[in-house]
Amino acid sequence: MKFLDIHNNIMSGYDMRDLGSEYTLEYLLAFNGREHHYPEGYFVKIKRIDPTPERPHGLRYSFTLHGPEGMRLIGFDNAHPVVPVGGRFKKKPVAADHWHRTENDPGRPYAFVSAEQLVDDFLDEVERVLKQRGIELVVQTTTERKTS
């Protein structure tokens, strides 16, 4: 996996490709409540929210990268559905999974495949944004937030 080399201080020490989907789900759930802090005040916030019937994979999640002032720069979540790119006449997806490519992006549909792919895609976007801003891809600290 690409993100093991770049984000090895976030990932556990084993490669999930050889494990079943229940392990990747457990892996994803282990991120719940974590914040990973990068240089110059950038941080990643990951939380799991209680599942609802609208979530075909049984997860409600929010993965976000924030700037030093706390503004969300990118995000992957399924808190609400978004209008697909291409206009209001395009069929609205049933699932609420979507992502925000920039801080001003209202959201675009995201095709949830697996917990592993979600983490991969999110960390790829974190890498893209931090590199564009000249921020080193090294997590300085990790904190656990109390979750309900």
Side-chain angles (χ1 to χ4, degrees):
M1 281 183 207
K2 180 180 177 189
F3 63 85
L4 281 173
D5 295 332
I6 296 166
H7 300 282
N8 61 358
N9 45 3
I10 295 176
M11 306 293 293
S12 59
Y14 61 90
D15 186 346
M16 293 182 302
R17 284 179 295 199
D18 299 331
L19 302 174
S21 62
E22 67 187 64
Y23 293 102
T24 59
L25 179 58
E26 285 180 35
Y27 174 77
L28 176 65
L29 297 178
F31 276 90
N32 189 30
R34 285 192 188 169
E35 285 187 6
H36 299 281
H37 300 268
Y38 291 89
E40 297 185 38
Y42 289 81
F43 64 97
V44 168
K45 212 162 75 169
I46 303 169
K47 65 180 177 179
R48 176 180 180 236
I49 308 167
D50 292 334
T52 65
E54 296 84 30
R55 308 309 181 260
H57 39 65
L59 294 173
R60 193 160 176 198
Y61 58 86
S62 175
F63 285 19
T64 54
L65 169 67
H66 297 263
E69 302 299 319
M71 175 188 266
R72 183 190 70 196
L73 302 177
I74 62 162
F76 284 71
D77 71 90
N78 62 358
H80 56 86
V82 296
V83 176
V85 177
R88 63 182 178 179
F89 300 108
K90 195 169 185 180
K91 186 177 178 180
K92 192 174 183 178
V94 175
D97 301 284
H98 64 277
W99 66 294
H100 304 269
R101 185 165 167 38
T102 67
E103 57 268 25
N104 299 317
D105 184 357
R108 54 191 74 194
Y110 173 75
F112 183 95
V113 174
S114 69
E116 176 184 0
Q117 189 64 51
L118 172 64
V119 173
D120 236 350
D121 292 344
F122 173 66
L123 292 177
D124 284 348
E125 285 299 305
V126 167
E127 177 184 357
R128 176 186 64 82
V129 171
L130 292 181
K131 277 187 174 180
Q132 284 177 346
R133 294 167 180 257
I135 304 300
E136 192 177 2
L137 289 170
V138 176
V139 174
Q140 295 179 323
T141 61
T142 298
T143 57
E144 298 285 337
R145 301 185 98 196
K146 207 156 180 75
T147 57
S148 53

